[in-house]
């Protein structure tokens, strides 16, 4: 097994209306069948006009919030809110971001990143005649772990979850719970090439063509990676859970 990951330089600034399909084929001219194109969500947001003035940040977080998970006060700014946003993602500040954008502006996440990935995949197919997978990523924190990683928030033409249940391990035992979030793994491999400060929002992962779906099949999308309802065992912060439990307790 061998993977190759690369990210082109000199992409330039993305503005509202930028043709991302054209951007991909211009800066990645050597794409081949089975390649996986990884795209930073910020350039999708910019191209789709998901830009607001920075003074609207707290209101934007509120408007993007479906459910408050946890809220903590901070001495040096507005409260930190961990929320579920309209994409079903649980993120700090609903994914509203003020980095890598013009002064005085903030970025919202794409409204439908799976659909955005579908459009980019179709554009690459039309312009280059190759069958690729497309994954859109954003940066997120994780419970109980320091540091940020990438997560797939949109994908097309790709199997986002690799299901090993029913297969046998090296000792012959049948696997019963092993489902790997390969879309997340791919965007983190891509991030090592893109870098956080390098101005490289596109990357290609080559070597996992087995995950790329046939032409005409865009797959389940990154939405299938989201845990909601009964499968979400950590649906609220600790303080919020304690307060909720108290509210259910019978009065003495």
């Amino acid at each position: 097994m061998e993977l190759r990951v690369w990210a082109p330089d000199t992409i330039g600034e993305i503005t509202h209306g930028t043709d991302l399909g054209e951007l991909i084929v211009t800066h990645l001219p050597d794409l081949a069948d089975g390649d996986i194109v990884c795209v930073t969500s910020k350039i999708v947001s910019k191209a789709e006009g998901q830009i607001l003035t920075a003074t609207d940040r707290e209101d934007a977080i509120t408007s993007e919030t479906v459910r408050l998970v946890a809220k903590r006060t901070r001495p040096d700014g507005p409260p930190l809110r961990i929320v579920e946003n309209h994409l079903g993602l649980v993120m700090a500040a609903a994914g509203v971001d003020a980095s890598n954008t013009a002064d005085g502006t903030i970025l919202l996440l794409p409204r439908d990143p799976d659909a955005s990935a579908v459009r980019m995949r179709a554009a690459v197919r039309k312009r280059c005649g190759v069958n690729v997978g497309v994954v859109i990523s954003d940066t997120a924190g994780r419970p109980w772990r320091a540091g940020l990683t990438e997560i797939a928030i949109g994908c097309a033409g790709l199997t986002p979850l690799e299901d090993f249940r029913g297969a046998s391990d090296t000792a012959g035992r049948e696997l019963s719970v092993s489902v790997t979030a390969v879309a997340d793994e791919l965007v983190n491999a891509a991030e090592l090439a893109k870098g956080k400060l390098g101005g490289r929002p596109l990357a290609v992962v080559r070597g996992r063509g087995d995950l790329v779906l046939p032409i005409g099949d865009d797959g389940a999308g990154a939405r299938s990676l989201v845990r909601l309802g009964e499968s979400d065992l950590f649906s609220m912060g600790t303080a919020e859970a304690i307060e909720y439990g108290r509210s259910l307790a019978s009065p003495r």
Side-chain angles (χ1 to χ4, degrees):
M1 172 63 69
E2 179 178 302
L3 293 179
R4 182 188 170 206
V5 185
W6 71 96
D9 289 312
T10 64
I11 297 296
E13 184 58 33
I14 307 303
T15 58
H16 187 194
T18 294
D19 186 332
L20 294 179
E22 184 64 30
L23 185 82
I24 291 170
V25 300
T26 298
H27 292 277
L28 299 169
D30 299 322
L31 287 173
D33 286 336
D35 285 346
I36 299 166
V37 179
C38 300
V39 184
T40 300
S41 64
K42 286 183 177 64
I43 68 168
V44 181
S45 295
K46 290 178 180 180
E48 296 179 353
Q50 290 287 90
I51 305 170
L52 297 175
T53 61
T55 55
D56 296 330
R57 186 172 190 271
E58 293 303 308
D59 289 340
I61 295 170
T62 299
S63 67
E64 294 290 290
T65 295
V66 172
R67 176 174 62 89
L68 178 67
V69 175
K71 181 178 181 180
R72 299 293 182 270
T73 59
R74 294 186 294 178
D76 57 346
L80 171 64
R81 285 183 276 173
I82 309 296
V83 307
E84 177 191 333
N85 64 22
H86 68 278
L87 298 174
L89 302 171
V90 175
M91 309 180 79
V96 176
D97 198 348
S99 64
N100 294 304
T101 186
D103 288 342
T105 65
I106 56 173
L107 296 175
L108 308 182
L109 291 176
R111 298 309 300 174
D112 189 345
D114 281 333
S116 301
V118 167
R119 289 192 292 270
M120 284 185 274
R121 185 194 189 204
V124 171
R125 174 67 181 170
K126 180 178 180 180
R127 290 168 169 84
C128 299
V130 295
N131 180 30
V132 302
V134 175
V135 193
I136 299 171
S137 69
D138 196 53
T139 305
R142 302 156 297 157
W144 308 300
R145 299 286 290 179
L148 305 172
T149 62
E150 295 297 293
I151 60 172
I153 67 167
C155 70
L158 182 80
T159 302
L161 291 163
E162 195 167 19
D163 192 346
F164 295 101
R165 291 173 296 182
S168 297
D169 66 13
T170 55
R173 291 184 291 268
E174 183 175 315
L175 302 176
S176 59
V177 296
S178 297
V179 182
T180 302
V182 286
D184 286 345
E185 293 182 325
L186 288 164
V187 294
N188 279 288
E191 183 67 11
L192 295 175
K194 290 190 292 185
K196 190 58 65 179
L197 303 175
R200 295 183 294 271
L202 301 176
V204 180
V205 179
R206 178 172 291 174
R208 287 305 312 265
D210 58 301
L211 298 173
V212 176
L213 298 171
I215 296 169
D217 184 358
D218 287 317
R223 187 76 182 192
S224 63
L225 294 163
V226 177
R227 280 182 170 168
L228 295 173
E230 293 183 359
S231 67
D232 180 7
L233 301 182
F234 307 97
S235 59
M236 63 180 69
T238 302
E240 287 73 18
I242 292 171
E243 183 60 31
Y244 177 68
R246 287 173 176 165
S247 71
L248 297 178
S250 300
R252 295 184 180 183

